């Protein structure tokens, strides 16, 4: 079961790609780079709740480095999820998502998802070709499967989309639709910002934007229920809480630490 990865995917699906940058983030960036509220070394740690488990696991996202990648630099961003020991006795799980986020366009050059579920291991890789508007997907498990997809110009992977969202402005009533590639399939995600509210997470109490999310697959069928994301209303634009109801249970991620 792709528990933590599924929720991180849900969160990443709400990126907005057409809104202007906040003024507070438009300073001291390398020439050619888009302004962002995060920097290399930023590490966000979340408590993961699942159904009756108040804390079922931990998810950590890290901006590892800014490095050369093709013709333009990219941020190497990694998210890892593990269950707590009690849950690990029931399910042996480990997930690792990675993305190379173009520093100029804030669109992914490549995204990967590695998972361990018991003895089963999977590695899915999606490479984006922006000029041809194609995505090349490869899945390695017991066998290797490849697929080429025609994708919209702004197509993203889940993890890169989360960081793309943080670099954009949200206002009351903002509504944006974003195409996302996950595991070789194309999804459409609609984000609606309803307003700000006070929210308490393990890190503390803060004001955050309440963002409602709906997801449909290529056939127009809904994916998940009661999907929500809260983004802090400050220059850091931290994803402080995420939640979703999935067929395998209800998930919630709450920010415990930000360094």
């Amino acid at each position: 079961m792709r528990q933590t990865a599924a929720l991180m995917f849900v969160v990443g699906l709400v990126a907005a790609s057409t809104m202007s940058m906040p003024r507070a983030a438009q300073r001291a960036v390398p020439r050619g780079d888009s302004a962002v509220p995060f920097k290399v070394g930023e590490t966000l740690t979340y408590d993961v709740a699942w159904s009756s488990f108040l804390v079922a696991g931990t998810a950590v996202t890290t901006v590892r480095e800014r490095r050369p990648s093709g013709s333009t630099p990219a941020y190497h961003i990694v998210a890892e999820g593990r269950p707590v020991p009690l849950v690990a006795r029931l399910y042996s799980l480990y997930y690792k998502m990675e993305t190379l986020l173009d520093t100029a366009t804030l669109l992914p050059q490549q995204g990967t998802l590695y998972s361990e579920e018991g003895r089963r291991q999977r590695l899915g890789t999606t490479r984006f070709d922006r000029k041809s508007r194609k995505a090349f997907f490869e899945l390695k498990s017991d066998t290797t499967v490849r697929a080429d997809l025609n994708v919209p110009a702004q197509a993203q992977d889940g993890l890169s989309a989360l960081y793309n969202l943080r670099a954009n402005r949200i206002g009351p009533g903002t509504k944006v639709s974003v195409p996302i590639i996950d595991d070789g399939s194309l999804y459409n995600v609609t984000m609606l910002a309803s307003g700000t509210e006070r929210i308490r997470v393990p890190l503390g109490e803060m004001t955050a934007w309440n963002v409602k999310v709906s997801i449909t697959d290529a056939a127009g069928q809904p994916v998940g229920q009661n999907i929500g994301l809260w983004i802090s209303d400050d220059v850091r634009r931290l994803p402080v809480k995420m939640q979703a109801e999935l067929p395998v249970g209800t998930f919630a991620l709450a920010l415990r630490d930000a360094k």
Side-chain angles (χ1 to χ4, degrees):
M1 294 181 296
R2 299 168 57 195
Q3 317 290 14
T4 304
L7 190 53
M8 290 304 295
F9 161 64
V10 165
V11 173
L13 295 183
V14 297
S17 58
T18 60
M19 297 176 284
S20 61
M21 299 290 178
R23 294 181 181 177
Q26 293 180 347
R27 302 170 185 169
V29 296
R31 177 176 295 181
D33 283 11
S34 290
V36 293
F38 54 84
K39 61 182 180 180
V40 173
E42 182 195 74
T43 301
L44 307 178
T45 303
Y46 296 86
D47 289 336
V48 181
W50 170 44
S51 297
S52 61
F53 291 92
L54 184 61
V55 179
T58 300
V60 180
T61 67
T62 305
V63 183
R64 291 277 179 89
E65 61 180 332
R66 179 186 184 276
R67 72 187 195 191
S69 179
S71 59
T72 59
Y75 296 110
H76 178 206
I77 303 173
V78 179
E80 296 180 276
R82 299 177 185 273
V84 296
L86 177 61
V87 178
R89 294 174 187 172
L90 303 174
Y91 306 106
S92 177
L93 304 170
Y94 170 69
Y95 301 104
K96 183 178 183 181
M97 302 175 72
E98 298 183 75
T99 191
L100 291 175
L101 187 67
D102 190 295
T103 62
T105 65
L106 299 184
L107 294 173
Q109 301 172 359
Q110 178 175 291
T112 65
L113 171 59
Y114 171 75
S115 65
E116 295 178 3
E117 301 170 354
R119 296 181 179 180
R120 187 186 182 197
Q121 299 179 358
R122 300 171 82 253
L123 175 62
T125 302
T126 303
R127 182 174 60 84
F128 294 89
D129 186 331
R130 298 295 170 184
K131 291 184 178 180
S132 65
R133 295 193 177 185
K134 286 186 174 292
F136 304 96
F137 176 70
E138 180 181 80
L139 175 62
K140 293 182 178 179
S141 53
D142 296 334
T143 59
T144 298
V145 177
R146 297 183 177 89
D148 298 350
L149 301 89
N150 295 316
V151 298
Q154 298 297 313
Q156 303 174 50
D157 64 72
L159 183 59
S160 66
L162 177 61
Y163 282 80
N164 183 299
L165 172 62
R166 294 179 60 191
N168 290 282
R169 188 188 298 275
I170 300 176
T174 294
K175 185 177 183 180
V176 180
S177 293
V178 184
I180 297 291
I181 297 291
D182 179 73
D183 215 23
S185 298
L186 182 65
Y187 296 83
N188 188 69
V189 179
T190 299
M191 176 192 76
L192 177 61
S194 59
T196 59
E197 61 185 61
R198 295 294 289 177
I199 185 171
R200 178 172 290 279
V201 292
L203 181 64
E205 185 176 339
M206 61 194 73
T207 301
W209 284 97
N210 184 339
V211 180
K212 305 297 184 183
V213 185
S214 61
I215 305 171
T216 55
D217 60 20
Q221 296 300 308
V223 178
Q225 300 180 51
N226 297 324
I227 305 168
L229 170 66
W230 285 260
I231 299 288
S232 66
D233 185 25
D234 58 21
V235 295
R236 299 174 300 171
R237 304 189 63 74
L238 298 172
V240 295
K241 184 180 178 181
M242 320 160 207
Q243 68 180 29
E245 292 181 14
L246 302 174
V248 293
T250 299
F251 289 84
L253 273 71
L255 187 62
R256 173 159 48 90
D257 192 28
K259 296 181 180 179

